[in-house]
Amino acid sequence: MMNDLIGKLFLWAFANPVLDRQDDQGVVEIRGVRVAVSTDSFVVDPLFFPGGDIGELAVNGTVNDVCMCGATPLFLTTGFILEEGMPLETLKKIVESMRAAALKAGVTIIAGDTKVVNKGKGDKVFINTTGIGIVERGLSISSGNLQPGDVLILSGTIGDHGITILSQREGLAFQAPVESDTAPLNELVRCIVDAGGEGVHAMRDPTRGGLAATLNEFAVASRVGIKVHEDRIPVDPAVAGACELLGLDPLYVANEGKALVATDESAAENVLKAIKKHPLGRNAAIIGRVVREDPGLVSMRTRLGTWRIVDMLVGEQLPRIC
Amino acid sequence: MMNDLIGKLFLWAFANPVLDRQDDQGVVEIRGVRVAVSTDSFVVDPLFFPGGDIGELAVNGTVNDVCMCGATPLFLTTGFILEEGMPLETLKKIVESMRAAALKAGVTIIAGDTKVVNKGKGDKVFINTTGIGIVERGLSISSGNLQPGDVLILSGTIGDHGITILSQREGLAFQAPVESDTAPLNELVRCIVDAGGEGVHAMRDPTRGGLAATLNEFAVASRVGIKVHEDRIPVDPAVAGACELLGLDPLYVANEGKALVATDESAAENVLKAIKKHPLGRNAAIIGRVVREDPGLVSMRTRLGTWRIVDMLVGEQLPRIC
């Protein structure tokens, strides 16, 4: 509820057409060049986890937000808030990891800032990254652009990142190892756009709030209904097991290296093939459809054959997941 | 020392020609358009102080960093890190203040993010802003561009912001009220560039570390000597009194609405006149000269007629001043 109030406060105070689109990135024109901009603060706890760390996450998270409109991310800025007494060795590991992640994603860090706060007024390190990319003319990929008949493609398994963080934090050990899926998606997005062209209507990486939140954001922003099939949504068996044990629904668990794509029916096969060819998209699947009925509503055909409504998460989300 | 180590770590890890310039903003070309980008996190304590608050500071601080290369700031992003339990009313006041500051500076907020951390793991609110501006072709204003013979112009009194924060934090009351000088400098910069053209070689707003830090950064980056005159550096009498009482040198105290400008001798009179005409530049003065001798060294003729070396601040800077 608090989050909701805060969101409304910002949208009211800073209202403008770019922000009002409520996409993960703002797209603006600077002297005829279309530029995509996204910002994110990372406060993940713990700092290091199987599959990644806060530094890698801070690069990949913003790279992904920038590229989800079809943009090519070019530049990043970084803002560090350090708690006094934070070991320099830890910081060094994080910075080295950011350096490697930036190289991998092909982005250059062009501005930075560091602030130090007194002990007990922060928590080791918080990192803000802001990303800047360029949008090819003509592309218009936005959560508000879904059309009835569109096909929904998910690039891989869900819940990996959230379950990894949660199990680390709670000291849980599962038989099968679970790893964060943090990865830069800009190369995959390039393949998607090359394969689907203007048939690609919307893309988003389902982070906080999981796949359920992204599906709902799509349905509301485009005023369409969405129908998905539970048995088509890929979930790693270890993650599924952990979710069952913890009483969590993987639909609501965060991802850090997945994309949900809505495409024209005619482009869907091409796009799916392109995704599956990419190492980050091997488990991709068509999970559902966009419909004209029930605008704003997401429903899911369960494994039992019944239909259920997939709400936005009510109540507390797992804090400090990214 | 810690700050120095961290600075070196970042410059080493993220080394690239844009970052290596060590200006307050990175300038890059995107499809032939020169874009200036700057990022800053604001952790000022207290949140509200005479003359401003963290929200206004977060807008003005980044607007100023962007425009110091002669760029016109256009867009901002904001990233909030809130401590659980932070009163919504306080947040609302801060957001409204940001809204007003953005309007005043003529910048649009195009992306935002909010994270919440557990109680005791943050301090009410930290705000990151990243700013994006456009640089007119031809301008090349950088701390590395000072030339021997250049004239140094300061746009007004020094120390106002730092003394305001310090006196609030320590509960000190002075007879004459002291106020933060937080202000957007982009309009003033426009006047400076219009008046001085390519005769404007370098600009920077002397924030953390005060005027002394900026003078030293100029001298080191351009490999020139700098000579200033103590009696020409404007200091508000109330600030001077407070500094005396607290044993502080105003040269090292932070500012949030001042610019130090280095211009060609031939442009100096025009630029000074333009600054003095602007409401934010009424107390502007020529404070010194760039010389060929003693590259990297800043020296000051004291009121007693002796010369002293103005070092970078050794030891602890006042924390959380911005």
Side-chain angles (χ1 to χ4, degrees):
Chain A
M1 207 183 71
M2 183 74 181
N3 270 336
D4 194 43
L5 276 174
I6 293 170
K8 279 187 188 139
L9 172 62
F10 287 117
L11 282 174
W12 165 79
F14 303 141
N16 64 63
V18 180
L19 211 58
D20 295 351
R21 276 174 49 233
Q22 294 197 51
D23 276 325
D24 278 348
Q25 69 297 120
V27 177
V28 292
E29 262 196 45
I30 303 183
R31 294 272 158 94
V33 182
R34 284 176 74 208
V35 172
V37 181
S38 186
T39 194
D40 235 328
S41 297
F42 295 84
V43 299
V44 65
D45 173 31
L47 297 176
F48 300 88
F49 46 81
D53 59 56
I54 189 172
E56 189 180 348
L57 202 63
V59 171
N60 291 343
T62 293
V63 161
N64 293 348
D65 281 346
V66 169
C67 72
M68 285 299 141
C69 63
T72 306
L74 299 174
F75 305 111
L76 281 191
T77 66
T78 67
F80 282 74
I81 298 176
L82 304 175
E83 186 191 13
E84 209 182 1
M86 154 100 182
L88 194 61
E89 267 316 299
T90 310
L91 183 63
K92 209 173 154 190
K93 272 173 74 178
I94 293 167
V95 169
E96 277 174 8
S97 163
M98 288 187 82
R99 168 195 163 88
L103 269 174
K104 195 172 164 191
V107 293
T108 307
I109 294 170
I110 55 166
D113 173 61
T114 311
K115 292 285 174 359
V116 179
V117 297
N118 350 28
K119 208 165 174 61
K121 299 293 184 183
D123 193 11
K124 296 182 281 286
V125 55
F126 301 144
I127 305 176
N128 175 283
T129 50
T130 302
I132 300 175
I134 188 165
V135 192
E136 303 302 330
R137 288 226 137 264
L139 283 183
S140 174
I141 298 171
S142 168
S143 54
N145 280 357
L146 283 88
Q147 311 293 334
D150 277 1
V151 174
L152 289 167
I153 308 171
L154 183 64
S155 71
T157 57
I158 57 169
D160 304 67
H161 179 75
I163 288 298
T164 303
I165 298 299
L166 191 63
S167 60
Q168 288 294 307
R169 209 181 295 162
E170 307 297 330
L172 303 174
F174 306 113
Q175 277 190 307
V178 182
E179 271 202 356
S180 167
D181 57 344
T182 178
L185 295 171
N186 48 335
E187 203 183 77
L188 181 67
V189 163
R190 180 60 35 220
C191 298
I192 293 170
V193 171
D194 284 349
E198 298 192 7
V200 182
H201 293 163
M203 279 193 280
R204 189 168 276 196
D205 56 331
T207 52
R208 275 196 281 182
L211 182 63
T214 302
L215 288 167
N216 275 281
E217 284 153 8
F218 277 6
V220 170
S222 294
R223 297 191 190 81
V224 293
I226 287 182
K227 292 196 184 299
V228 294
H229 292 256
E230 189 174 19
D231 59 3
R232 296 189 198 159
I233 298 172
V235 187
D236 180 90
V239 170
C243 279
E244 219 177 288
L245 199 74
L246 296 165
L248 292 171
D249 184 338
L251 279 181
Y252 294 94
V253 180
N255 312 280
E256 288 291 343
K258 298 293 154 36
L260 178 67
V261 190
T263 77
D264 215 286
E265 170 142 37
S266 64
E269 271 312 311
N270 262 349
V271 169
L272 180 63
K273 219 183 289 173
I275 297 178
K276 278 179 158 286
K277 241 202 269 178
H278 193 279
L280 292 173
R282 276 190 303 255
N283 301 313
I286 290 175
I287 63 162
R289 283 282 187 165
V290 178
V291 297
R292 197 174 301 276
E293 308 84 68
D294 303 322
L297 205 75
V298 178
S299 41
M300 180 167 81
R301 193 171 192 274
T302 67
R303 280 200 190 82
L304 306 171
T306 58
W307 285 90
R308 67 170 256 225
I309 289 173
V310 178
D311 276 324
M312 287 290 260
L313 190 59
V314 215
E316 187 123 339
Q317 277 187 26
L318 194 59
R320 300 185 64 180
I321 200 81
C322 63
Chain B
M1 209 183 71
M2 184 74 180
N3 271 335
D4 195 43
L5 276 173
I6 293 169
K8 280 188 187 137
L9 172 62
F10 287 116
L11 281 174
W12 165 80
F14 303 141
N16 65 64
V18 178
L19 211 58
D20 296 349
R21 275 174 48 233
Q22 294 196 54
D23 275 325
D24 278 349
Q25 69 298 118
V27 177
V28 292
E29 263 197 44
I30 303 182
R31 294 271 157 93
V33 182
R34 285 175 74 208
V35 172
V37 182
S38 186
T39 193
D40 235 327
S41 297
F42 295 83
V43 298
V44 66
D45 171 32
L47 298 176
F48 299 87
F49 46 82
D53 59 56
I54 189 172
E56 188 181 348
L57 201 62
V59 171
N60 292 343
T62 292
V63 161
N64 294 348
D65 281 345
V66 168
C67 72
M68 285 299 140
C69 63
T72 306
L74 299 173
F75 305 111
L76 281 191
T77 66
T78 66
F80 282 73
I81 297 175
L82 303 175
E83 186 192 14
E84 209 182 3
M86 153 100 183
L88 195 61
E89 268 315 300
T90 310
L91 184 63
K92 211 173 154 191
K93 272 173 74 179
I94 292 167
V95 168
E96 278 175 6
S97 163
M98 288 187 83
R99 169 194 161 88
L103 270 174
K104 193 171 165 194
V107 292
T108 308
I109 293 170
I110 56 167
D113 173 60
T114 311
K115 292 286 172 2
V116 179
V117 296
N118 349 32
K119 209 166 172 60
K121 299 292 184 184
D123 193 11
K124 296 182 282 284
V125 57
F126 301 144
I127 305 176
N128 175 283
T129 50
T130 301
I132 300 175
I134 189 167
V135 192
E136 303 303 328
R137 287 225 139 265
L139 282 184
S140 175
I141 297 171
S142 168
S143 54
N145 281 355
L146 284 88
Q147 310 293 334
D150 277 1
V151 174
L152 289 167
I153 307 171
L154 181 66
S155 71
T157 56
I158 58 169
D160 305 66
H161 178 74
I163 288 299
T164 303
I165 298 300
L166 191 63
S167 60
Q168 288 294 305
R169 208 181 296 159
E170 307 297 330
L172 302 175
F174 305 111
Q175 275 189 309
V178 182
E179 272 202 356
S180 168
D181 57 343
T182 179
L185 295 172
N186 48 335
E187 204 184 77
L188 181 66
V189 162
R190 181 58 39 220
C191 298
I192 292 170
V193 171
D194 284 350
E198 299 192 7
V200 182
H201 294 162
M203 279 193 280
R204 188 167 277 193
D205 57 330
T207 52
R208 275 197 282 181
L211 181 63
T214 302
L215 288 168
N216 274 280
E217 285 154 8
F218 276 6
V220 169
S222 294
R223 298 192 190 81
V224 292
I226 287 182
K227 293 196 183 298
V228 296
H229 291 255
E230 190 174 18
D231 59 3
R232 298 191 197 157
I233 298 172
V235 186
D236 180 270
V239 171
C243 280
E244 219 176 289
L245 199 73
L246 296 164
L248 291 172
D249 184 338
L251 279 180
Y252 294 94
V253 180
N255 311 280
E256 289 290 343
K258 297 293 153 38
L260 178 67
V261 190
T263 77
D264 215 286
E265 171 142 36
S266 64
E269 270 313 310
N270 261 349
V271 170
L272 180 64
K273 218 182 289 173
I275 297 178
K276 278 179 159 288
K277 241 200 269 178
H278 193 279
L280 291 173
R282 275 190 303 255
N283 299 313
I286 291 176
I287 63 161
R289 283 280 187 165
V290 178
V291 296
R292 198 175 300 275
E293 306 84 68
D294 302 323
L297 205 76
V298 178
S299 40
M300 180 167 80
R301 193 171 194 274
T302 66
R303 281 201 190 81
L304 306 170
T306 58
W307 285 89
R308 67 172 256 224
I309 289 172
V310 179
D311 277 323
M312 289 289 261
L313 190 59
V314 214
E316 188 124 337
Q317 278 187 27
L318 195 60
R320 302 184 64 182
I321 200 82
C322 62

